[in-house]
Amino acid sequence: MKTKFGWVEIGHVRYDHDVIIHCDGSVEKRSKKKSKKLKNQYGHTPLADHELSFLAAEKPPVVYIGTGQYGDLPITDEANEVLGEYEHVVLPTPGVLELMEKEHRPFAAILHVTC
């Protein structure tokens, strides 16, 4: 896995948008529509609790949150409460990718590719 500002490469596929990686390894675009209404409050579109609803069904042993190239993705208090129910790692995206590559357990991840 590789990343630079504006993209992340997972399994030789380059994504130029934020992504969610599910426990089964599938990758999908992170939908930020509902979270955009919080942008004025946080300065950026934050990671919000409704974006983490898939975790309840997947029950991953660990959740990785990549907060962007410089670590600027804000996380709402409600999202932090949801994350508190799981072992989780929150780091800038390049650091999270390094840990994900070494992870032997199934995991879920949300990766921000800018800021």
Side-chain angles (χ1 to χ4, degrees), residues 1-22 24-32 69 93 97 100 109-114:
M1 289 184 264
K2 297 187 258 183
T3 187
K4 295 280 186 189
F5 188 90
W7 59 267
V8 63
E9 189 176 288
I10 303 164
H12 303 292
V13 177
R14 187 171 285 193
Y15 300 91
D16 60 358
H17 50 74
D18 293 2
V19 298
I20 296 173
I21 302 174
H22 295 277
D24 65 3
S26 63
V27 179
E28 72 173 295
K29 183 176 183 178
R30 174 184 168 219
S31 176
K32 301 187 282 188
Q69 298 304 302
T93 301
L97 291 182
M100 288 168 45
I110 296 180
L111 305 175
H112 184 54
V113 298
T114 58

Side-chain angles (χ1 to χ4, degrees), residues 69-112:
Q69 298 304 302
Y70 312 113
D72 293 335
L73 175 70
I75 301 174
T76 66
D77 290 341
E78 295 82 6
N80 274 317
E81 285 181 32
V82 173
L83 288 172
E85 298 174 20
Y86 302 90
E87 179 182 338
H88 63 282
V89 177
V90 179
L91 289 172
T93 301
V96 161
L97 291 182
E98 287 181 28
L99 295 175
M100 288 168 45
E101 286 179 335
K102 297 174 185 174
E103 183 62 64
H104 297 290
R105 300 171 289 178
F107 63 84
I110 296 180
L111 305 175
H112 184 54

Side-chain angles (χ1 to χ4, degrees), residues 37-94:
K37 65 183 177 192
L38 302 170
K39 185 175 183 176
N40 288 338
Q41 182 180 348
Y42 287 89
H44 294 295
T45 303
L47 178 64
D49 58 326
H50 61 269
E51 295 180 70
L52 302 172
S53 61
F54 72 96
L55 296 175
E58 295 186 23
K59 299 184 184 351
V62 62
V63 179
Y64 289 98
I65 305 295
T67 57
Q69 298 304 302
Y70 312 113
D72 293 335
L73 175 70
I75 301 174
T76 66
D77 290 341
E78 295 82 6
N80 274 317
E81 285 181 32
V82 173
L83 288 172
E85 298 174 20
Y86 302 90
E87 179 182 338
H88 63 282
V89 177
V90 179
L91 289 172
T93 301

